[in-house]
Amino acid sequence: MGPGSKVAEAGVGSGFMTAVLAYYVRPDGKVYGYDKREDSIRTARRNLELLGLNEWVELRLRDVSTEGFLEKELDAVILDMGDPWNALPSATEALRTDGILVIYVPTVNQVIKVITAMKGAGYVNVRMLDVTVREWKTEPNEVRPHTWINAHTGFLIIGRRTIRPAAQPTE
């Protein structure tokens, strides 16, 4: 993703990821942010205006799992929602061939469902990253991770859309 990219995000929440995406697609690109919660759309819009990035974003109140994305031939789709496997058909339809799908989920149970759905839909180069956040102690003579931490882990699953091969005839 970079200048000129067309990207959709479902599950905008506060708009943090939306803002990061808008920053990178400028000056010719566009981010299409979807959420089924009106309060999330309001919060994201307010935050984007504060950051001066709303020019590169269109926010839509819409459930992509049931209503789909309005755009086609997107360079990337990011899903940050509780049941992203249900939005996978819509995301696949919205992506261009060779487009990138990125999904964030916090549990291994969700990872299994996502990877199964992505491989079933013909995605290739599917990989998973463990995203762990841990705080560090920053004393001048002691820079290291805190001994006792309250950490959170999430998972990013990334894959590339391909043309789904035609079913092979059975004998």
Side-chain angles (χ1 to χ4, degrees):
M1 286 179 268
S5 293
K6 295 186 320 183
V7 180
E9 174 198 18
V12 297
S14 68
F16 180 80
M17 176 58 73
T18 315
V20 170
L21 294 169
Y23 178 83
Y24 282 106
V25 303
R26 299 174 307 158
D28 307 328
K30 198 66 147 181
V31 177
Y32 304 94
Y34 287 83
D35 207 296
K36 60 184 179 181
R37 293 179 41 184
E38 195 169 342
D39 60 325
S40 292
I41 295 291
R42 269 194 315 270
T43 300
R45 183 170 284 119
R46 186 174 59 248
N47 289 334
L48 289 162
E49 287 171 2
L50 286 170
L51 294 168
L53 293 169
N54 52 329
E55 178 181 342
W56 295 278
V57 178
E58 289 184 31
L59 294 173
R60 305 184 193 288
L61 181 62
R62 188 176 175 98
D63 183 347
V64 298
S65 292
T66 57
E67 300 173 88
F69 293 88
L70 296 175
E71 300 74 29
K72 303 291 180 233
E73 295 297 308
L74 294 168
D75 299 300
V77 172
I78 293 98
L79 302 176
D80 182 359
M81 49 198 300
D83 59 345
W85 49 89
N86 289 328
L88 191 66
S90 297
T92 302
E93 187 178 311
L95 278 169
R96 70 172 198 217
T97 300
D98 90 340
I100 300 292
L101 177 65
V102 178
I103 299 174
Y104 172 82
V105 291
T107 72
V108 173
N109 307 53
Q110 291 168 306
V111 167
I112 293 165
K113 288 182 180 181
V114 166
I115 289 175
T116 301
M118 286 177 73
K119 290 191 176 196
Y123 281 79
V124 296
N125 300 331
V126 176
R127 58 193 197 277
M128 180 182 91
L129 305 167
D130 179 354
V131 181
T132 303
V133 176
R134 65 181 183 170
E135 192 173 344
W136 281 60
K137 189 171 186 177
T138 55
E139 298 301 320
N141 294 321
E142 193 177 7
V143 177
R144 63 177 179 79
H146 276 284
T147 304
W148 303 104
I149 61 170
N150 181 9
H152 173 72
T153 298
F155 303 95
L156 283 177
I157 301 116
I158 303 165
R160 184 175 298 277
R161 180 180 181 237
T162 62
I163 298 173
R164 183 111 172 116
Q168 298 298 316
T170 56
E171 295 180 38

